[in-house]
Amino acid sequence: MFPDTVAQWHAALNDFPSILLLMAIGFEFAGAVTKRESLRAAGFWTLMVGAAGAVLALWSGLSAEETIEHGGSMHLVMERHETMGIWITVILVGLAAWRVVRRTTMAGLESKAFYTVAALGAAFMMWTAHVGGTIVFEYGGGIPSTVLEGALQERTMEHSHAEGEEHDDDPASQEDETAGQSDDAETTEHEHD
């Protein structure tokens, strides 16, 4: 299914910078150890694409913030994730710029400093991703209230499994059971600065 909301685009784009930064570090390190320029070139280009992906992930995240329904508690977590996303994008673009400027002359202590900053950046990026996951998995961020309410109602219904079958093959048979159930979901309003 192709993403059709900006929140879905953010979910689709935000994995690329993380994995590409880790791959870039791996290629760069392997190239330095084996003295193979092809691995260092792979690290260079992987880092460039990862930096571009970070900019796209940041743009989609900033756009998604204004479109998803959320309450006060989730808003605080979103603000923390936004700040972290801005910082990790700055770090990743900074690493890419460092690598462009010093592409062929980076060695010794500077090389160690580059790898250290990249490794710390990767760890910070993983924490940023964890906070983003909290928005979705603990607060239901990006899930429209009507969809979330329907999912909550469906979870309360009993269902059975045939022998050797984990889930019912005909979820439509359960739709009649959900009709007429009341909506008990509460929403909390808040104001933006």
Side-chain angles (χ1 to χ4, degrees):
M1 182 173 167
F2 203 71
D4 59 0
T5 68
V6 74
Q8 290 173 346
W9 272 108
H10 183 63
L13 292 170
N14 65 14
D15 292 332
F16 288 107
S18 302
I19 194 66
L20 290 173
L21 178 58
L22 293 173
M23 289 175 63
I25 293 169
F27 282 135
E28 290 277 352
F29 184 73
V33 169
T34 63
K35 309 284 191 237
R36 291 181 60 190
E37 192 54 39
S38 60
L39 289 173
R40 296 207 62 204
F44 174 83
W45 289 109
T46 304
L47 181 60
M48 296 305 120
V49 175
V55 171
L56 288 174
L58 178 62
W59 167 79
S60 64
L62 292 173
S63 299
E65 177 186 21
E66 299 304 321
T67 64
I68 65 173
E69 303 170 52
H70 60 278
S73 297
M74 187 169 117
H75 182 77
L76 294 174
V77 178
M78 286 171 57
E79 290 297 315
R80 183 178 318 129
H81 181 64
E82 176 184 333
T83 301
M84 295 171 80
I86 291 168
W87 275 108
I88 197 61
T89 301
V90 168
I91 291 168
L92 199 49
V93 169
L95 285 169
W98 186 356
R99 191 70 170 85
V100 166
V101 171
R102 304 287 292 168
R103 186 173 184 179
T104 57
T105 57
M106 191 185 316
L109 189 59
E110 182 182 12
S111 183
K112 289 177 184 175
F114 177 84
Y115 294 134
T116 301
V117 171
L120 292 172
F124 184 60
M125 187 177 290
M126 293 300 136
W127 184 251
T128 303
H130 168 73
V131 173
T134 300
I135 293 168
V136 175
F137 296 109
E138 289 188 24
Y139 294 96
I143 305 169
S145 293
T146 55
V147 173
L148 190 57
E149 290 165 1
L152 289 172
Q153 287 179 350
E154 184 179 349
R155 284 184 185 179
T156 61
M157 296 176 6
E158 290 190 33
H159 66 280
S160 60
H161 300 269
E163 187 173 326
E165 190 176 60
E166 190 165 323
H167 292 286
D168 188 14
D169 289 334
D170 185 16
S173 66
Q174 297 176 0
E175 288 179 8
D176 293 334
E177 295 178 35
T178 59
Q181 288 185 353
S182 66
D183 177 14
D184 296 330
E186 295 181 16
T187 58
T188 305
E189 296 198 16
H190 70 283
E191 295 181 12
H192 291 265
D193 292 336

